[in-house]
Amino acid sequence: VGTQGSGQVSALYVDFNDEVKKGQLLARIDPTLLQQSVADAQASLERLRAQTQQASRDQGRNRELSAQGLIPTSQLDLGDSALKVAQAAEKSAVIALQRAQQNLSYTSIHAPIDGIVVERNVNNGQTVAASLSAPQLFLIANDLSQMQILAQVGESDIGKIKQGQVATFTVQAIAGRTFTGTVAQVRLQSTTVDNVVNYTVVVRLENPKRELLPGMTARVDFLVQSALGVLKAPNAALRYKPSEEVLALMGAEATPSPGG
């Protein structure tokens, strides 16, 4: 959440971890100067509106005098021109007033979505400047029950990753737990770090208990192949270590007989 207006932050209404609703007032920038701009634009509009009304009355009288042949046509044309100029100036003043009112509305910072404030980058009394880009005042997480992982996958393995694929992952903060997600997107943009090309894979997951927090590091495993209804034998069944008696018996049977 940023701001299009510049000025000093006069009030903060939310803090870290606060739940906010769409349209809720988050902060306010000091509106004193912009309120004065609105008052000045309003005064200019009233002055030009009075000039337009006077020009309209003058032209009305000119038309009556012109109908009686008391003034030349050129004077009537000048009156029409003066009236149009006054009307155009009044219209410009209306636009200036609307612009000033819109700038004044930017001093109230509202939440664009429902969510939770995870960052607050401004303090009460701090001056913000929106010159080239809007400064970030707050960062709001939309819904922490729906999260995603941005996993970096090397180019040698990216061909095995497909949309809809099952992925399991662990986080250091919750030891002994394995979570499950689904591959939602394989981004085509690559990044090269230390001559290693990586691609970003987006894994979406459910977080109903909000155990997983934004910014955690996850180790992700992608299920690339599975098989059902196959015979599985323990690895120990494929190994055999004979006892001393068996080795002695085998040694006796292996001794060649006389003349044999």
Side-chain angles (χ1 to χ4, degrees):
V1 180
T3 174
Q4 290 185 255
S6 302
Q8 188 179 59
V9 178
S10 59
L12 286 174
Y13 301 104
V14 295
D15 202 353
F16 291 93
N17 301 337
D18 285 349
E19 294 188 5
V20 297
K21 298 296 183 181
K22 182 177 180 179
Q24 180 177 339
L25 184 62
L26 305 180
R28 191 182 300 277
I29 297 176
D30 186 11
T32 303
L33 295 178
L34 294 177
Q35 287 174 345
Q36 293 173 351
S37 298
V38 171
D40 183 56
Q42 182 67 42
S44 297
L45 176 60
E46 293 175 358
R47 175 173 53 83
L48 292 173
R49 187 168 290 166
Q51 292 178 358
T52 302
Q53 293 173 355
Q54 181 62 39
S56 178
R57 288 193 294 266
D58 291 343
Q59 186 61 8
R61 286 191 291 267
N62 289 337
R63 291 192 183 96
E64 294 178 358
L65 295 174
S66 177
Q68 298 174 8
L70 299 179
I71 60 173
T73 306
S74 59
Q75 186 173 348
L76 183 64
D77 294 338
L78 289 176
D80 284 335
S81 178
L83 178 59
K84 290 179 180 179
V85 170
Q87 291 173 343
E90 181 182 351
K91 184 181 295 184
S92 178
V94 170
I95 296 174
L97 176 60
Q98 293 174 348
R99 184 186 302 113
Q101 291 173 340
Q102 185 65 37
N103 289 333
L104 179 61
S105 68
Y106 292 151
T107 61
S108 298
I109 312 301
H110 297 272
I113 58 173
D114 297 344
I116 298 176
V117 179
V118 295
E119 282 187 26
R120 177 176 59 80
N121 302 319
V122 67
N123 295 315
N124 198 8
Q126 181 177 344
T127 300
V128 294
S131 55
L132 299 178
S133 60
Q136 177 178 302
L137 305 183
F138 302 94
L139 181 63
I140 299 178
N142 187 9
D143 185 6
L144 292 182
S145 63
Q146 302 285 335
M147 302 192 72
Q148 66 181 20
I149 300 174
L150 302 180
Q152 301 299 317
V153 180
E155 60 178 330
S156 59
D157 296 325
I158 194 63
K160 304 175 184 177
I161 310 301
K162 306 295 180 183
Q163 187 173 354
Q165 196 169 351
V166 176
T168 59
F169 66 94
T170 58
V171 293
Q172 296 180 353
I174 308 177
R177 287 279 304 278
T178 300
F179 301 89
T180 303
T182 305
V183 175
Q185 185 184 49
V186 179
R187 295 181 179 175
L188 302 179
Q189 182 181 8
S190 63
T191 56
T192 303
V193 179
D194 296 333
N195 294 327
V196 178
V197 179
N198 292 321
Y199 293 85
T200 301
V201 177
V202 181
V203 179
R204 290 181 182 171
L205 54 117
E206 301 288 337
N207 187 31
K209 297 182 180 180
R210 298 187 179 181
E211 298 173 300
L212 301 171
L213 303 179
M216 283 185 170
T217 301
R219 179 181 177 86
V220 185
D221 294 322
F222 297 95
L223 180 62
V224 298
Q225 189 176 5
S226 62
L228 299 176
V230 297
L231 177 64
K232 183 173 70 170
N235 193 23
L238 305 179
R239 299 193 302 269
Y240 173 67
K241 183 178 181 181
S243 62
E244 297 295 335
E245 292 80 5
V246 173
L247 290 175
L249 180 60
M250 292 176 62
E253 291 180 350
T255 303
S257 57

